[in-house]
Amino acid sequence: MAFELSTVVPWGRTLDEYKMMFVLSDEDLKKSIASFGDGPASFNFEMKRLNNNVVSFDPIYAFTKEELINRIRETKDIVMEQTKQNKDNFCWTSIKNLDDLEKIRMNAMNNFILDFEQGKKEKRYIPHELPNRTSFSEKCFDIGLSSHFLLLYSKLGLNFHIKAIDEMLRICKEIRIFPILDLDAKKSNLLEQIIEHYNNKYDISIMQTNYEFQRNGNKLLVIKHNN
Ligand SMILES: C[S@@+](CC[C@H](N)C(=O)[O-])C[C@H]1O[C@@H](n2cnc3c(N)ncnc32)[C@H](O)[C@@H]1O
C-alpha cells in the first residue's frame, strides 16, 4: 500500500535534542550515522553544517518540498492544540512553554525544508519506509537512530518492530531508540519482548538521558552487535 502523507503529522527536533536524547558524545558525532523516521528534524541539516555524516530515512522524503510545507502548515496548529490540552504530560524545563515549543519546532522544520532538496541530491535524505530493506551494505553505519518512531508507535506491533530493527541492525553496528514510552506515555508494552528477542545475540542496555520532554521519557534503548 502506498504511503500517504495525510497520515503523517510532521514534527521535527533539533541537533541539541538529538545529542541529549541519544547521549551522542563528540566522538559519536564524527561517526557515520543513519537516522530512521527522521522526518522534518533539523538533525541532518545541522550535522552537515558541522561537516558530520548523517543519512536520514523517512517515507515523507518521497514527497515534494511544497507538499511537505503544506502538510506542516495543515497540522501545526492541531499538534500545538493537542499539546496544550495535555500540557501536564510534558516537562517544561529546557523547553519553557508552548510558545517556546512552537518556535523550536518551526525553526527545526524550516531548516529541514531549506536543506531538503539539496540534501536529497546529496543522498542525505532517502525516501524509505521501515521495515523494507535499504540499499546499504552490512554494518556500513556506526550508529542507527530512531527518535520518536519505534516503540512510540507500539500499535505497529511486535512483528513490524522486529523486522524494522533487523534491517537497522543489518546496516548499523549499533542502534539507539528514544523514547521507550508509547504515545500514552506508558513504558511501551513491546519493550520486554524486544529485549528478550535480541538478548542472546546482541548487547542490550537501557541508558538514562538528560533529555525529558514527554514526562518520564528519559530513557534510551541501545542494541549493539557483540562482534
Ligand atoms: C514523530 S516523527 C519523528 C521525526 C524525527 N525523528 C524527530 O524526532 O524529530 C515520526 C516520523 O516517522 C516517520 N514514519 C512513519 N512511518 C514510517 C515507516 N514505516 N518507516 C520509517 N519512518 C516512518 C514519519 O514520516 C515521521 O516523520
Side-chain angles (χ1 to χ4, degrees):
M1 202 168 62
F3 186 88
E4 290 185 27
L5 189 56
S6 60
T7 62
V8 175
V9 179
W11 210 225
R13 292 169 184 78
T14 63
L15 170 59
D16 276 345
E17 294 182 284
Y18 270 60
K19 280 204 262 189
M20 285 193 280
M21 290 187 290
F22 293 113
V23 196
L24 292 168
S25 64
D26 288 347
E27 199 185 318
D28 287 338
L29 293 175
K30 292 289 162 206
K31 294 180 175 171
S32 64
I33 298 179
S35 194
F36 296 84
D38 215 29
S42 59
F43 178 56
N44 193 316
F45 161 79
E46 294 184 75
M47 286 287 274
K48 168 77 183 172
R49 263 197 329 200
L50 299 172
N51 276 327
N52 295 333
N53 294 310
V54 177
V55 177
S56 298
F57 298 86
D58 199 296
I60 68 166
Y61 303 151
F63 296 91
T64 65
K65 176 176 162 178
E66 286 67 35
E67 286 171 321
L68 295 177
I69 292 172
N70 287 338
R71 187 63 191 153
I72 291 169
R73 277 204 194 116
E74 270 167 25
T75 52
K76 192 252 303 179
D77 290 343
I78 300 169
V79 185
M80 287 306 302
E81 185 53 36
Q82 281 171 351
T83 312
K84 191 172 165 188
Q85 299 299 328
N86 297 296
K87 216 165 167 260
D88 293 344
N89 293 345
F90 298 93
C91 301
W92 300 96
T93 43
S94 67
I95 297 177
K96 306 248 167 322
N97 51 41
L98 287 162
D99 286 346
D100 199 22
L101 175 70
E102 182 170 337
K103 222 181 289 163
I104 292 169
R105 293 284 171 271
M106 291 313 290
N107 193 35
M109 292 194 281
N110 287 336
N111 281 333
F112 159 77
I113 289 290
L114 289 175
D115 185 44
F116 177 58
E117 288 178 331
Q118 182 61 26
K120 219 173 150 176
K121 272 188 214 143
E122 293 171 5
K123 305 224 180 316
R124 287 187 286 114
Y125 295 112
I126 302 208
H128 172 264
E129 189 174 351
L130 283 169
N132 295 342
R133 195 178 164 93
T134 62
S135 60
F136 290 84
S137 58
E138 272 66 15
K139 295 191 201 163
C140 69
F141 292 98
D142 296 312
I143 305 175
L145 306 176
S146 162
S147 157
H148 295 84
F149 177 56
L150 291 179
L151 290 179
L152 188 65
Y153 295 94
S154 56
K155 63 174 192 258
L156 290 167
L158 183 63
N159 195 31
F160 174 93
H161 277 74
I162 299 283
K163 284 188 182 157
I165 293 172
D166 278 351
E167 177 56 14
M168 290 168 71
L169 283 168
R170 188 183 69 76
I171 65 171
C172 304
K173 293 174 190 152
E174 70 166 271
I175 65 163
R176 304 185 189 184
I177 299 174
F178 181 94
I180 59 173
L181 302 179
D182 63 21
L183 285 170
D184 296 324
K186 302 210 173 72
K187 193 167 94 173
S188 173
N189 63 1
L190 300 177
L191 184 67
E192 301 304 330
Q193 289 159 289
I194 288 172
I195 291 176
E196 201 178 311
H197 183 87
Y198 291 99
N199 217 5
N200 283 341
K201 282 173 76 184
Y202 296 87
D203 292 334
I204 300 191
S205 52
I206 291 180
M207 290 173 75
Q208 187 83 24
T209 69
N210 289 329
Y211 184 88
E212 183 177 359
F213 182 51
Q214 192 186 17
R215 200 169 285 288
N216 299 322
N218 57 356
K219 290 195 179 66
L220 164 72
L221 173 66
V222 182
I223 309 180
K224 280 186 194 176
H225 284 269
N226 54 18
N227 52 35

